[in-house]
């Protein structure tokens, strides 16, 4: 990969007490690349993703987003620098994390209003166009409790896009959904991939990893064991751990 990686992680380590969750993790993501991260539960996939968004602080290693260091050898910058760097990323969680007391539109408009990033007119217009993008233009005045799980997740994606992120992080975005609702969320994610959005997707959806990802990275026991194109990884995995995992899930 060329030097213009939009994300570069070097020797990242993270422990919770004595439990080592990430062991010397290093990888690079190119602009517009869609990377699927697969692996057994408890292998550190979500912790890795949350560390990129500074929802977890790492114990060692470096993370560079664009040309800015989010953390260097385990040391974070002071002041508002972290917020500035992480604002380039949008994150979508397994359980939606919508505000139940706010309408769908208000959920979308909250962050840009707080950050004073756009004018009120721009915020309203952006919210409308994003609701249309995810197929929920008629749901702006509805509260999250009146939506299906798939609709909630599409609202969560639209909300993450409100801040015009350069990178989208997805943490098991369909694992809380019924199979018939999974498709509508994956459809929105496919569209983002087609639009050249840089995406890291932690997922159990092997069909999505196979069809949409440029690269698939297999994680086990807190480290990346193997990585390659979907054809390589699914077609002829090199590592025994990868083979064993794929035999179980495919």
């Amino acid at each position: 990969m060329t030097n213009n990686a939009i994300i570069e992680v070097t020797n990242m380590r993270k422990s919770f007490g004595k439990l080592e969750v990430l062991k010397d993790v290093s990888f690079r993501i190119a602009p517009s690349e869609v990377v699927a991260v697969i692996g057994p539960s408890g292998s550190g996939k979500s912790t890795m993703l949350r560390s990129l968004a500074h929802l977890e602080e790492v114990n060692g290693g470096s993370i560079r987003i664009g040309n800015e260091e989010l953390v260097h050898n385990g040391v974070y910058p002071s002041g508002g620098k972290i917020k500035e760097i992480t604002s380039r990323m949008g994150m979508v969680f397994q359980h939606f994390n919508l505000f139940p007391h706010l309408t769908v539109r208000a959920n979308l408009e909250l962050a840009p209003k707080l950050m004073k990033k756009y004018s009120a007119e721009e915020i309203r217009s952006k919210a409308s166009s994003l609701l249309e993008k995810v197929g929920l233009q008629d749901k702006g005045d509805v509260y999250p409790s009146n939506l299906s799980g798939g609709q909630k997740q599409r609202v969560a994606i639209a909300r993450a896009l409100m801040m015009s992120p350069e990178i989208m992080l997805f943490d098991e975005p369909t694992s809380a959904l019924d199979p018939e609702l999974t498709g509508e969320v994956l459809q929105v994610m496919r569209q983002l991939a087609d639009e050249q959005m840089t995406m890291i997707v932690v997922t159990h959806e092997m069909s999505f990893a196979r069809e949409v990802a440029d690269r698939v990275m297999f994680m086990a026991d807190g480290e990346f064991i193997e990585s390659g194109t979907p054809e390589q990884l699914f077609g002829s995995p090199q590592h025994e751990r990868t083979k064993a995992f794929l035999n179980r899930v495919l």
Side-chain angles (χ1 to χ4, degrees), residues 128-148:
S128 296
S129 69
L130 283 171
L131 285 175
E132 189 169 341
K133 182 188 186 85
V134 298
L136 295 170
Q137 54 270 52
D138 56 340
K139 300 291 186 193
D141 299 325
V142 169
Y143 287 89
S145 57
N146 296 320
L147 299 176
S148 72

Side-chain angles (χ1 to χ4, degrees), residues 108-133:
L108 264 66
E109 294 181 353
L110 182 64
K113 280 178 177 168
L114 289 174
M115 302 282 283
K116 301 185 168 53
K117 185 159 178 172
Y118 307 106
S119 70
E121 187 54 46
E122 284 172 324
I123 290 172
R124 179 152 276 273
S125 158
K126 193 167 174 63
S128 296
S129 69
L130 283 171
L131 285 175
E132 189 169 341
K133 182 188 186 85

Side-chain angles (χ1 to χ4, degrees), residues 201-214:
V201 185
V202 169
T203 185
H204 286 308
E205 290 292 328
M206 297 302 145
S207 58
F208 177 84
R210 187 173 253 158
E211 293 160 28
V212 183
D214 300 305

